[in-house]
Amino acid sequence: MPLLLLTGASFSCVLILLFYGASVQDQMQLEREEKALQNVVKSASLLVRHDLQDYAKWDEAVRHIDQRVDPAWIEDNVVAYLGGTQGYNQIFVLDGEDRVVYSWKDSRFDTRVAQRRLGPDFMDSLALVRRIPQDGAPIVSGFSRANGQIYLFATAAIVPLTSKVGLSGPRPKLLVIARIVDFDWLTQFADDLPVSVVRLSRSRDDTEQQNVAIRGLNGAPLGWIGWEPFRPGTLLRQRLAPGVVFFMLIGAMAAVLILRRGNGPLRICSKAKGGRGTFPTMTC
């Protein structure tokens, strides 16, 4: 019985270590994948800010957008790159009262067109930008949701880079760029991510699928990026399990054989005294 208990305890420890090690490895991999997707969301917001800032804080932009709205100049210098090359499909100019005075692909300037297209988080960005000092970096970027679509956007005040030009009024015009966040947008980053499957949904999947939230400026979730996590620990455990079970069976069989060999017939022995100069003998 002690031998059986020792054998069982040994194999139980092996199984516990195998399952625990696999679980720890899976958790570490999951944390890496989640961190990678969170970095994608954060980097996207920084990237759209970077794309816009050089066009907004620029003396020529002040001359051709703030002092007077020049659609031809905007299309040649702003839309040609941000719209044609970078893939932003929404480009607006708003005046000091937040009314649309230029809209790419839309010659009818509805004063609420930007709000309808880009949603409430975008509208919140207007006040945030105007509170930033003009001599700094008056630009805000993030995500918004409208009409069932999630948008990545940036809003920037058009301010001069040098003292050679001045603004036309106390409240500068605003330049806005945005693009739809969809599966095609996600696939641009998928090759560099340590994840197998990426999905974009408007509601959180409560199944075993993992999720990372896309949040608006106020922190509320606008959508969820879901993926199927890779489980290296589980895969390793599945590969090692047959071998472990085989060695457990071999060990159990060996323990049984040892017990059977050690349990022979009961023999009663006695010790007889020897003579002087001799050793005692055993008689069974």
Side-chain angles (χ1 to χ4, degrees):
M1 185 57 66
L3 181 59
L4 287 177
L5 291 176
L6 179 61
T7 304
S10 300
F11 285 127
S12 297
C13 290
V14 172
L15 289 177
I16 292 173
L17 289 175
L18 178 62
F19 277 84
Y20 177 75
S23 177
V24 170
Q25 193 172 7
D26 287 344
Q27 184 62 33
M28 293 175 62
Q29 177 66 21
L30 177 61
E31 292 174 357
R32 285 194 294 266
E33 294 175 356
E34 183 176 6
K35 185 67 174 179
L37 285 173
Q38 289 174 346
N39 287 337
V40 165
V41 175
K42 182 178 179 180
S43 298
S45 181
L46 294 176
L47 181 61
V48 65
R49 178 195 297 257
H50 179 269
D51 286 340
L52 182 60
Q53 63 185 3
D54 291 339
Y55 288 88
K57 193 167 187 175
W58 185 19
D59 290 352
E60 289 301 309
V62 173
R63 292 188 179 99
H64 295 279
I65 299 179
D66 183 79
Q67 294 179 353
R68 64 183 182 91
V69 179
D70 185 349
W73 186 91
I74 296 174
E75 292 175 5
D76 290 341
N77 293 273
V78 179
V79 173
Y81 177 72
L82 295 179
T85 303
Q86 296 300 94
Y88 296 100
N89 51 12
Q90 303 288 340
I91 299 178
F92 300 101
V93 174
L94 284 70
D95 65 9
E97 301 301 323
D98 297 339
R99 296 172 298 192
V100 177
V101 293
Y102 172 84
S103 176
W104 183 41
K105 297 182 180 179
D106 191 350
S107 59
R108 295 174 298 176
F109 302 143
D110 186 340
T111 57
R112 300 179 63 85
V113 64
Q115 180 179 4
R116 290 202 311 270
R117 290 188 185 179
L118 301 183
D121 284 277
F122 159 71
M123 297 303 296
D124 292 342
S125 73
L126 305 182
L128 294 175
V129 169
R130 295 197 184 280
R131 286 201 294 264
I132 300 175
Q134 296 180 9
D135 57 353
I139 182 171
V140 172
S141 61
F143 294 89
S144 187
R145 179 173 166 178
N147 303 317
Q149 295 281 359
I150 299 175
Y151 289 90
L152 172 64
F153 74 91
T155 304
I158 300 173
V159 294
L161 181 62
T162 68
S163 58
K164 297 179 181 179
V165 295
L167 297 175
S168 60
R171 290 166 62 91
K173 290 184 174 65
L174 303 180
L175 181 60
V176 181
I177 61 174
R179 64 172 300 166
I180 296 175
V181 175
D182 53 14
F183 185 77
D184 292 336
W185 177 80
L186 288 177
T187 56
Q188 297 180 6
F189 303 92
D191 292 339
D192 299 327
L193 293 177
V195 294
S196 56
V197 179
V198 178
R199 300 185 183 91
L200 181 64
S201 61
R202 288 180 290 177
S203 60
R204 184 171 185 174
D205 190 346
D206 292 329
T207 63
E208 294 183 357
Q209 178 176 276
Q210 300 298 318
N211 301 271
V212 166
I214 298 176
R215 301 184 182 276
L217 295 180
N218 61 358
L222 306 175
W224 302 87
I225 300 176
W227 81 100
E228 300 291 341
F230 175 58
R231 304 182 185 277
T234 300
L235 182 61
L236 180 63
R237 184 184 63 201
Q238 292 173 349
R239 292 181 177 179
L240 292 179
V244 173
V245 172
F246 174 76
F247 283 110
M248 287 178 64
L249 292 175
I250 295 297
M253 293 174 60
V256 171
L257 291 176
I258 293 173
L259 288 174
R260 286 185 176 181
R261 289 180 177 274
N263 290 336
L266 182 62
R267 303 170 68 187
I268 301 176
C269 303
S270 62
K271 182 171 66 173
K273 294 183 178 181
R276 181 176 296 180
T278 62
F279 293 97
T281 59
M282 297 294 295
T283 303
C284 298

